[in-house]
Each structure stands twice: as C-alpha cells, then as structure tokens.
Amino acid sequence: MFQRVYLGVCFATVAFAAIACIATSAIAQDNLSSSAPKNGAASQVDASSPKIGASTAESTTISPDKSAVVEKPSNRLAVLIGSLTVFALAVFVGFEVINKVPPTLHTPLMSGSNAISGITVVGAILATGFGKFGFGSLLGAAAIVLAMINVVGGFWVTHRMLSMFKKK
Amino acid sequence: MTALIPLAYLIAAVLFILGLKNMSSPKTAVRGNLLGASGMALAIGATLVDGRVGGYWLIGITLIAGTAVGLWLAQTVPMTGMPEMVGLLNGFGGVASTLVAFADLLQSDHQSIDTLLAIGLSGLIGTVTFSGSMIAFAKLKEYKQFKQPFALPFQTLINAGIVLGVVMLVAFMVTTQSFTIQVLCYLAIVALALVLGVFLVLPIGGADMPVVISLMNSYSGLAGAATGFVIDNNALIISGSLVGASGIILTQIMCKAMNRSLGNVLFGKMAGGGKVASADEVYANVRSTSADDIAMILDGAQRVVIVPGYGLAVAQAQHAVRDLAKLLESKGTNVEYAIHPVAGRMPGHMNVLLAEADVSYDKLLEMDAINPTMDTVDVAIVIGANDVVNPSARLDPNSPIAGMPIIDVDKARTVIVIKRSLSPGFAGIPNPLFAMPNALMFYADGQQAVLDIVRAIKAL
C-alpha cells in the first residue's frame, strides 16, 4: 500500500510541477519569452561542459544559438565523442544488469524498462519549451502526451504486476 | 541553477540503473520500480526548472493529460492483456522520439552533420517502432484482419529496397544545405519507415509475437538514445541504451527458446529440412484417460509438476490450476510449476498470470531448474503446451526442432497431457510424447478439464 502511495506521490510531484507551470506562466510569461534562446539544447551543452574547449573564452559562455557551435567543429566533435562514450558504456551496463534478471520477472522488466524509455519526455518538454508556440511546440506537446503515457502507464502497470509476486 | 541540471540527469540515470539492478529478485523488484519512477520524476522536474524553457501552460496541460491516460490504461488492463499493453507503450515511446527529432529539426536551419544524422535515425527507428508495434498490437488483440501472417511476393527484397531508400535519404539530408530539403527528406524517411514497420511485422505469425515485442522494446530504447544524440542529453542516451540492451537480451532468450534465429523469425522462414514422421505412425499407441482416472493417479502422487503452456493462457485456466494445486497440497503432495521461456504470450507472461492467480513465486521453476530432477516426479501435468515438451528436440537429430530447449516431462513416471486434440503445435510436427508408455491424453478444454479433475478428486 505504502509503495502505491509513493508511486502516486512521484506522479503527483510531476502533476504539481505541471500545475505550477501553468500558474507561473501566467505571471512570468514576459520574462521568459524575452530571454528565451533559439535552441537551448546546444547552449545547455556549452553551459554544462565548460571543460570542452576551455581554452577559448567563448565556449564557456552560454551561446544563444546552435550556429555558434557549428562554427567550432572541434568542440562539436568532442561533445559527440563524449556522447558516444556514454552510449557504449551504458550498453555494457545494460547487458550486465539485465542478464541478472530472472525469467520470472521478464514481463515486469519489459514494462518497467519501457517506462524508462519514456525519458524522451525530457526531449519533448525541451522541444515544447523552446518552440515559442510554433509548429515545433505543437509537435513537442504531442510528444509529451505520448511519452507521458509511456512513463506513467509503464511504471504503474509494472507496480501492479510486481506487487502480485509474493512468496507464501 | 542551470548548471546543476545535468547533475540531476546523471542522478536520474543512476536511479534507472539501480532500479533495473533491483529487478534481479522478486523481493527487491518493487523497490527497483520505485527507484526508476523517482529517477523519472527527478529528470522531468529538472527539465521543468531549466530557466530557458517557456510555454509552461502547454507543457503543464500535456503532462497532466499523458499522466491521466497512462494511469487509466495501466489500471484497467487485465494481466492477460499485458503483451498488447507493452506493445502499445512501445509504439507511443517510438512516435514520441520521431516527433521530438522533427521539432528539433524545425528549430534550427543550420544543424551540424552529426545532429542531422541523429535526427534521421531517431525518425527512422522511432517510426518503425511505432508502426511495427501497432501491427503487433493488432495481432495480439487477434483482430481478424491481422491474424494470418501476410507477406507480399519478394517481401524481403521490397524491405531491402525501403531500407536502401531510407539510407540514401538520410545521406542526402545530412549533406544538403537547404533547410527545406532537409525537412522534406525527414518527412520522406518517416513515411518510408511507417511502411517498413508494417512490412516487418505483418508476415510474422502469432506464435512469434514474444520475439517481436522484445525487439520493439529494444527499438523504443534505441529511438530514445538517438533522440539523446539529437538534443545532446546524456540522460536520454543512458536510459535509451539500457532499454535497448534489455530488449536485445530478451529477444535472444526468446529466439533461443524457440530454436530459431532472429533473421529466421523476421523473414518468416521456418527451420527447413528434416524428415518429419507422419502423425498416424507416431500416434499409433496413444492412450486416453478420464478425469476420474487422473484423480486416482494424483491421489497417490508425492511430487506433481504442472507444465502450463500458451494454451493455458488462452483458456485462462490459471485460477482453476491454482485450485487444483491447492487441493493437492492440502493432501500433502508437493506441487511445482515448470515454466518454459515461451510459455506465455510474451517473456515471463506465464509467471505474471500465475502470480495473479496467487501462486507463490518460489513454486515457479525455470526449465533448467526442473529438468535435472524430472525423473523423481510422479506426475507431470501438461496443460496447453506441445512443442515445448516434444522429446524429438532431444532425441531426434533430424527433427525441425532438434536442439530446442524443452521441459523433459517424458522422464516423469506418468505424464498427463490435457489437450483438445492431437493437432500439432506451432512447429507443425507430431509429438512422440503423446504415444509414450508413461503418457496419458485427456482430450478437453484446459479450464474445463482442470475443473473436472478437481471435482473428481473431491469425490474420491
């Protein structure tokens, strides 16, 4: 019972954040729209990884546009290689961890990992938020709904299944 | 504050890994799922406080809408419908990746080459996952139009042509400087991928759906990882590759359990060759029995093993079987369940169905755990299973299923097979088990048969 409540709390947090979103947008819409950069994904990389190409002063500042990144191919390449490293290592971690899951839990594993793959919702939120209500925003909004169904449905149904596995 | 967001993503990724790690035992699995959910809540929260995100009301509404639909789906789906549910969710994840990649493409008209490549791959994998999963969903729902495997002539060639077309479109999209052409290329890739997903799954029969679902699970992860490359987000890359790996492992397990290679399943070719004995020859000495006789046999048994198959899941006889086991246990008999990897309609499905019927999970034994002790089993009851207990796999090197891992029920002292008729299983070959001297056939519907046996035991 407690676990179901906890799962509910997790979702409620998101729902609360969502409501807070709606509320704040009414108040602070002007502030946000005035400072919204064109593409935050690229600038986020710049902001979060100042090590990369740290010798140049520009790379440590938040660049408002992806074009700034395109002009520095070596920086871009470093980011890509970093991402590929993470990808390769995560695949190995995945194989190690999943191989230890017993067959009896394969269905919950599948629905649970399915929920995790709904992490695309992060990308969907960013796309909606950066889209400035253009067509891109609408695409992002549709993606949020679909990915959120994946996330919430996946975790909830996994919990339903796992709570049936009991030893007597 | 913004600089801390990647840290939150990292913690989320660690929580996902810990969550999957906790899935290694039914005792800790519930906690594992909660860890995963916490990681997701953290990742979503971190994204929302990213100061550069605007349009909160739209985000808020869509988050709530998705949550509501997800909860409703997850709460109402019956356990027998789990394969369809997972198929549907896979598809949603896939199409979300496609949409995010498209949105990213539209936001900037001078993307770098690697981002364009990732966008193309996201669109391709996400869309194939979507359309493939939708067809798998329709097949699992057993809609009439999709029940029969369907393939165009030269299907493999056509598919190869589509793949080639997609590769060329991706190459073109990456190299062209024109924004308009990039967008058109992306749309064409998505259109081709839609068709490809349909063509890939349509020719696959209902029995091979466990493989398809596992594969689509893997694809949905890979689509997420590709989207991670698009928006340079490690949380997506890590979670996507975890799920990709998980799906691939499950696909391998399913293929091995069915004695087929992945290519073999995908391109719809059954294991060819091998001389198949005629059914009449094999079934010359089959003996049938009745519920009353079975009750007598079970009455004297010390150790009983129940082997549930796909047929039991279809007949929804798991509750009746649980009652039979409880009755036998109350008489001091040791009852266990032997579960073949492809017993249900998706990996591990039978275990969930039996867990739902209140069967303790330590009674559910894997094939490898039960086989070495099979000769000490007094009675093995096979319900709705055929190929997975066919001793030809072990004894006849020329059989089409030679080498397939099976549950060795033929080594038990008595084998009772509950089956509607002597019709062959999915492999389409006769089963010499049915004619063995220690085997008895009980021709009936799975659920009705078990109810009759329970009644007969109570009447003893």
Side-chain angles (χ1 to χ4, degrees):
Chain A
M1 192 58 218
F2 165 75
Q3 291 141 347
R4 198 164 276 228
V5 170
Y6 179 79
L7 205 57
V9 168
C10 276
F11 297 149
T13 315
V14 173
F16 177 75
I19 293 165
C21 284
I22 301 174
T24 44
S25 71
I27 307 159
Q29 209 165 18
D30 308 326
N31 301 350
L32 285 164
S33 55
S34 63
S35 64
K38 192 166 183 215
N39 192 318
S43 51
Q44 178 197 324
V45 168
D46 272 12
S48 62
S49 48
K51 291 191 295 291
I52 300 163
S55 55
T56 55
E58 303 96 313
S59 65
T60 50
T61 59
I62 294 173
S63 55
D65 197 312
K66 233 179 190 176
S67 60
V69 180
V70 179
E71 284 160 18
K72 288 178 296 195
S74 62
N75 187 348
R76 187 63 220 159
L77 189 65
V79 172
L80 177 65
I81 291 173
S83 297
L84 282 174
T85 311
V86 169
F87 177 71
L89 293 178
V91 168
F92 279 101
V93 171
F95 271 104
E96 284 303 312
V97 172
I98 308 290
N99 257 328
K100 298 202 171 68
V101 178
T104 191
L105 290 179
H106 275 169
T107 296
L109 166 70
M110 213 177 235
S111 59
S113 63
N114 198 310
I116 291 176
S117 78
I119 183 79
T120 318
V121 73
V122 166
I125 292 173
L126 292 174
T128 313
F130 295 143
K132 291 199 211 152
F133 301 97
F135 186 55
S137 261
L138 288 182
L139 289 175
I144 292 181
V145 177
L146 291 165
M148 216 43 201
I149 294 174
N150 196 346
V151 168
V152 175
F155 281 123
W156 193 265
V157 87
T158 306
H159 186 77
R160 258 185 78 199
M161 277 190 271
L162 289 175
S163 46
M164 294 186 315
F165 278 89
K166 288 193 187 82
K167 193 171 168 178
K168 284 164 207 90
Chain B
M1 187 63 190
T2 308
L4 288 177
I5 290 173
L7 190 64
Y9 287 147
L10 175 64
I11 296 171
V14 170
L15 285 171
F16 291 151
I17 294 171
L18 288 177
L20 289 175
K21 203 169 152 52
N22 274 295
M23 283 275 191
S24 57
S25 153
K27 276 186 224 116
T28 55
V30 173
R31 190 173 66 208
N33 190 46
L34 297 180
L35 284 175
S38 318
M40 190 60 75
L42 180 64
I44 293 173
T47 315
L48 288 176
V49 300
D50 187 329
R52 299 181 302 269
V53 171
Y56 276 116
W57 63 271
L58 186 58
I59 295 175
I61 291 171
T62 47
L63 277 177
I64 290 173
T67 305
V69 176
L71 278 181
W72 174 72
L73 275 179
Q75 189 58 41
T76 52
V77 64
M79 287 302 143
T80 42
M82 207 46 70
E84 293 97 303
M85 170 86 175
V86 171
L88 201 64
L89 293 181
N90 278 337
F92 286 171
V95 78
S97 293
T98 306
L99 293 174
V100 172
F102 191 30
D104 194 84
L105 177 65
L106 291 179
Q107 270 164 25
S108 169
D109 52 2
H110 33 249
Q111 305 267 23
S112 63
I113 289 176
D114 59 294
T115 308
L116 282 172
L117 187 63
I119 289 174
L121 284 178
S122 264
L124 168 67
I125 306 173
T127 311
V128 167
T129 312
F130 171 68
S131 58
S133 296
M134 289 304 123
I135 300 292
F137 174 80
K139 279 179 181 274
L140 287 162
K141 275 266 177 197
E142 301 189 339
Y143 292 134
K144 262 209 299 293
Q145 299 87 332
F146 294 96
K147 224 172 170 183
Q148 284 303 316
F150 172 82
L152 292 171
F154 307 110
Q155 184 76 68
T156 314
L157 268 180
I158 294 174
N159 291 354
I162 295 177
V163 171
L164 193 69
V166 170
V167 169
M168 279 161 61
L169 279 168
V170 171
F172 194 48
M173 184 174 103
V174 169
T175 46
T176 183
Q177 296 294 319
S178 158
F179 178 63
T180 320
I181 295 180
Q182 284 172 357
V183 172
L184 288 177
C185 277
Y186 185 79
L187 291 175
I189 290 170
V190 169
L192 281 183
L194 265 179
V195 178
L196 183 63
V198 173
F199 280 174
L200 278 177
V201 181
L202 264 189
I204 301 177
D208 290 335
M209 277 304 129
V211 178
V212 175
I213 298 203
S214 312
L215 199 64
M216 289 299 157
N217 196 39
S218 177
Y219 285 175
S220 76
L222 292 178
T227 312
F229 280 98
V230 173
I231 63 168
D232 288 321
N233 187 313
N234 280 342
L236 265 76
I237 296 176
I238 295 173
S239 342
S241 34
L242 287 177
V243 178
S246 140
I248 286 173
I249 290 177
L250 292 172
T251 309
Q252 279 174 345
I253 293 173
M254 288 298 107
C255 283
K256 198 173 154 229
M258 294 198 294
N259 203 33
R260 300 178 66 181
S261 75
L262 180 58
N264 196 298
V265 172
L266 289 183
F267 302 119
K269 288 182 220 108
M270 274 307 287
K275 200 167 97 313
V276 178
S278 88
D280 296 338
E281 205 178 300
V282 173
Y283 294 147
N285 297 312
V286 172
R287 291 180 302 156
S288 70
T289 184
S290 68
D292 293 327
D293 290 341
I294 293 174
M296 302 280 276
I297 297 168
L298 287 174
D299 195 40
Q302 291 289 310
R303 187 175 178 215
V304 173
V305 167
I306 297 172
V307 184
Y310 184 85
L312 177 125
V314 173
Q316 306 214 12
Q318 60 269 29
H319 291 89
V321 168
R322 186 262 334 265
D323 291 340
L324 173 63
K326 285 241 162 97
L327 183 62
L328 291 174
E329 277 169 346
S330 70
K331 290 169 174 279
T333 313
N334 181 14
V335 184
E336 285 155 327
Y337 298 80
I339 318 272
H340 192 274
V342 290
R345 300 168 71 216
M346 70 184 283
H349 191 208
M350 185 57 70
N351 304 69
V352 172
L353 294 176
L354 290 171
E356 189 196 18
D358 226 16
V359 174
S360 174
Y361 66 77
D362 58 338
K363 297 267 178 203
L364 309 176
L365 298 184
E366 291 165 41
M367 184 168 59
D368 295 338
I370 197 105
N371 274 346
T373 61
M374 198 49 101
D375 43 9
T376 68
V377 172
D378 294 310
V379 184
I381 308 176
V382 180
I383 308 173
N386 188 346
D387 294 334
V388 298
V389 292
N390 190 335
S392 303
R394 204 178 65 234
L395 304 173
D396 178 5
N398 292 321
S399 168
I401 61 165
M404 173 170 145
I406 59 156
I407 297 175
D408 298 332
V409 286
D410 52 307
K411 290 182 181 165
R413 288 193 192 108
T414 308
V415 186
I416 294 163
V417 183
I418 300 173
K419 209 174 171 312
R420 284 169 184 278
S421 67
L422 284 172
S423 61
F426 296 116
I429 55 169
N431 189 341
L433 170 75
F434 302 159
M436 285 191 165
N438 58 344
L440 292 166
M441 298 296 295
F442 184 23
Y443 300 110
D445 166 72
Q447 181 160 9
Q448 196 53 48
V450 177
L451 292 175
D452 287 347
I453 295 171
V454 169
R455 205 170 300 127
I457 293 176
K458 282 182 176 159
L460 276 181

